[in-house]
Amino acid sequence: MSGFTRARSAALVLASAAAAAVLAAPSAVAAPEPIVGGTTTTTSAYPFVMQITDASQNQFCGGTLVAPTKVVTAAHCMVGETTRSVRVVGGRTNLNGTNGTVAKVSRIWVNPDYTDATNGDDVAVLTLSTSMPYAPVKYVSASDTGVYATGASARILGWGTTRENGSSSNQLRTATVPLVSDSSCRTSYGSDFVASDMVCAGLPSGGVDTCQGDSGGPLLLGGVLAGITSWGEGCARAGYPGVYTRLTTFSGLVSAQVNS
Ligand code: 4AZ
């Protein structure tokens, strides 16, 4: 667990960096490019991408609008949060913007199976007090397991850091990464990778990845929400793909929240 970084876990990120300094080659440091290794985009292009912020509208995670008042995010983003402490901001491409729509949260559902000891079952659904005036995106149904074909091109989005231990991106960024086979991800992460609950994406040589602050945001396959940014060993490191919540496993639980 000690080497894994998660949103808002500054101590873990630093511990990870220290471990990397001891264990990894200096080449593990990624090039200073966007999400890591992506391009800037806008919430006009991806209107369902939401900032999850504190009450002062400081972004700390991402989320995905799946219905006018329902946002899918990571369970680990909600640790220590309450309906009073969280806001959802839509339609705001830049972190320093004041445009878009700010919604309060009336209910936080965290997958009851989530534990921060394993990072498994990393899904939460927020119910907004007011509707977002943006188009939601579809999410996978339980039977859509075929979307996770090895090599499929997945789109990732977020305002997270553009390199490991770097600073957040003011502007929303996006990249595409190929899905990694479960056996390959198991080789990377051992028993911390639970194939029934997680799916991995990244290039063998690294260089393109989600990073700190991207957690909770979308992984899209064929334009449909199929994963949630969850965890990984550092960011964009060769041999350590990003790990995402395998949303088909949790579609039924999510639908129960979205339709309630
Ligand atoms: C984070 O801390 C985080 N490279 C998100 C994704 C990854 C690592 C850390 C995967 O939010």
Side-chain angles (χ1 to χ4, degrees), residues 5-7 76 209-215 229-232 234-236 242:
T5 59
R6 293 177 296 133
H76 84 257
D209 199 5
T210 44
C211 205
Q212 192 187 22
D214 290 321
S215 274
T229 302
S230 184
W231 62 277
C235 305

Side-chain angles (χ1 to χ4, degrees), residues 146-155 176-180 200-202 219-222:
V147 298
Y148 302 114
T150 298
S153 179
R155 180 164 298 281
T176 57
V177 274
L179 292 190
V180 168
C200 300
L219 178 141
L220 304 169
L221 287 165

Side-chain angles (χ1 to χ4, degrees), residues 7-8 11 26 44 46 49 58 61 109 117 121 127 154 172 177 183 196 209 214 244:
R8 310 194 81 188
S44 301
Y46 297 99
V49 181
N58 295 305
C61 270
W109 174 85
D121 307 280
T127 301
L172 179 64
V177 274
S183 61
S196 58
D209 199 5
D214 290 321
Y244 300 83

Side-chain angles (χ1 to χ4, degrees), residues 132-220:
M132 280 288 170
Y134 308 108
V137 72
K138 290 191 168 76
Y139 59 97
V140 287
S141 60
S143 59
D144 288 340
T145 53
V147 298
Y148 302 114
T150 298
S153 179
R155 180 164 298 281
I156 50 178
L157 290 136
W159 288 269
T161 61
T162 55
R163 56 185 298 168
E164 195 174 325
N165 302 315
S167 30
S168 283
S169 174
N170 183 51
Q171 184 169 350
L172 179 64
R173 292 189 183 269
T174 188
T176 57
V177 274
L179 292 190
V180 168
S181 72
D182 293 344
S183 61
S184 172
C185 203
R186 181 97 184 176
T187 300
S188 296
Y189 290 115
S191 59
D192 290 330
F193 173 69
V194 180
S196 58
D197 295 355
M198 305 171 189
V199 62
C200 300
L203 296 160
S205 56
V208 186
D209 199 5
T210 44
C211 205
Q212 192 187 22
D214 290 321
S215 274
L219 178 141
L220 304 169

Side-chain angles (χ1 to χ4, degrees), residues 32-118:
E33 287 173 34
I35 238 176
V36 179
T39 56
T40 56
T41 187
T42 65
T43 54
S44 301
Y46 297 99
F48 49 82
V49 181
M50 301 281 120
Q51 298 181 21
I52 310 289
T53 77
D54 65 16
S56 304
Q57 296 176 32
N58 295 305
Q59 184 267 351
F60 62 87
C61 270
T64 306
L65 191 73
V66 297
T69 63
K70 302 289 177 174
V71 173
V72 172
T73 188
H76 84 257
C77 289
M78 291 298 115
V79 172
E81 303 295 343
T82 68
T83 53
R84 277 85 58 197
S85 68
V86 173
R87 302 287 184 273
V88 175
V89 181
R92 186 179 293 174
T93 295
N94 294 310
L95 293 182
N96 69 357
T98 54
N99 60 330
T101 304
V102 182
K104 291 186 172 174
V105 172
S106 59
R107 196 159 58 88
I108 300 174
W109 174 85
V110 174
N111 184 345
D113 291 335
Y114 169 75
T115 64
D116 64 6
T118 64

